Amino acid sequence: MSIFQRIWGKKSRDKPKNYLSTAFTFLFGPTSSGNVVTERTAMQTTAVYACVRVLSEAIAGLPLNMYRYTPDGGKDKAINHPLYRLLHDAPNPEMTSFIFRETLMSHLLLWGNAYAQIIRNGTGQPIALYPLLPSKMDVSRAANGQLIYTYSKDSDEFGADNRCQQIVLSQDEVLHVPGLGFDGLIGYSPIAMAKNAIGMSLAAEQYGALFFANGATPGGILEHPGIVKDPVKLRESWHAQFSGTNRHNVAVLEEGMTFQQLSIPPDQAQFLETRKFQIDEIARIFRVPPHMVGDLEKSTFSNIEQQSLEFVKYTLNPWCVRWEQAMNQQLVLPSERLQVFTKFNVDGLLRGDYQSRMNGYAIGRQNGWLSANDIRELEDMNRIPAEQGGDTYLVNGNMLPLDKAGKFYTESEGKTP
């Protein structure tokens, strides 16, 4: 029993909870804008869709490999390991590795959790991975304290016999990548946490759509100097003549009536400024630079490259570590964890422009910590055979250890130092 269990007792073994959601629906509640925000309606916002797409495609496009530790402390690709093919090529016969990771990453960004069923062979080695929808998953504990995953299959899903069939999976049958959460076991949805910001973006978009659907014509009131005998008939007559396809007709007002604008024009309501701010607000939720979702207002040629590097270091890298550690813990057999591990390669994204890379390679080559083959591998070029010097490390002859300074001069003059 761990010290945490001894201190907290039974409380430490409670069912994992996400206090913002149940197994099937988010308890969002009303937003300040009045719009209903769920993970699906949020994707109708262009900024949310762009952020989810950028992060999902970035994680899916990174090289993902299995490595094996070497006796000298280095690492080599474990190409012959069964997990290498699953993670690098195809996790199942129906999906490529790119599609699989893109799908799970989108689940992680929208629901806060990503699940995949692990199919194992007789030795316990994973042989296939299949994505599971987070909205149909419920995580609880068995009587022995182990996590169990209950998945609800609809009648249209493969193998479902009834209208709604529940499948109970053990902890070693599910790859679970949780996002930021309250208990470290279940992640909560970024969409639920930012429902008001996303709801405001939806409201601004709907307002603009309705405004232009009305021909960009603001509403108003008709003023009559006297008493209108039949206001309902007057209103219906006005709508019949100046709404729909007739909205741009010329109005002829009789009996001294006047038309007074009632709605606030979009420029006075700062409509465009609101929409621009909501893009930055949503990009802030997912920690995506605004220029990557199409907002170039504050971007320049000098800072876009720096923002892209920061995106890799401060946005992608935490997600990569989260994925790597989940896969190492749940896919690699306990007997192999000291020998093999999974790792994303982000070196290609951290490269600068061509001139900066060449200058860096030149410094590494001249100072003896990069060989020709090291550089060629970083540039995705074929290796030079070792017998031709491809693995030779060179050093600048002008650089000597301090205790050997002047040794050549003393030896040439026949003097002892």
Side-chain angles (χ1 to χ4, degrees), residues 172-327:
D172 61 351
E173 292 179 299
V174 177
L175 169 63
H176 180 198
V177 186
L180 180 66
F182 290 104
D183 57 6
L185 298 174
I186 301 294
Y188 48 68
S189 167
I191 304 300
M193 298 298 292
K195 62 179 182 180
N196 286 326
I198 298 173
M200 187 172 180
S201 180
L202 287 170
E205 185 173 343
Q206 291 173 2
Y207 171 78
L210 291 174
F211 180 77
F212 286 104
N214 194 36
T217 303
I221 58 176
L222 287 172
E223 293 185 354
H224 194 284
I227 298 176
V228 179
K229 297 181 180 180
D230 194 348
V232 175
K233 183 177 180 181
L234 177 61
R235 184 184 300 108
E236 292 176 352
S237 175
W238 180 269
H239 280 294
Q241 297 181 58
F242 307 110
S243 64
T245 57
N246 301 320
R247 65 173 65 97
H248 295 297
N249 284 353
V250 178
V252 179
L253 303 179
E254 302 179 7
E255 301 179 3
M257 288 191 300
T258 59
F259 177 81
Q260 181 179 350
Q261 180 179 306
L262 184 62
S263 299
I264 301 176
D267 57 342
Q268 295 182 18
Q270 297 183 334
F271 172 67
L272 295 178
E273 288 78 1
T274 300
R275 294 210 64 189
K276 287 181 180 179
F277 177 77
Q278 289 310 117
I279 293 176
D280 292 339
E281 188 83 343
I282 293 173
R284 186 180 300 116
I285 297 168
F286 294 98
R287 202 188 296 172
V288 173
H291 77 271
M292 300 191 73
V293 294
D295 183 7
L296 301 174
E297 184 175 1
K298 298 180 181 178
S299 298
T300 63
F301 289 106
S302 60
N303 68 9
I304 278 187
E305 183 178 357
Q306 184 62 36
Q307 291 183 50
S308 299
L309 294 176
E310 291 180 354
F311 170 73
V312 176
K313 291 190 292 185
Y314 303 121
T315 303
L316 277 188
N317 189 61
W319 287 115
C320 289
V321 174
R322 192 183 299 272
W323 272 79
E324 290 166 357
Q325 294 188 354
M327 291 185 291

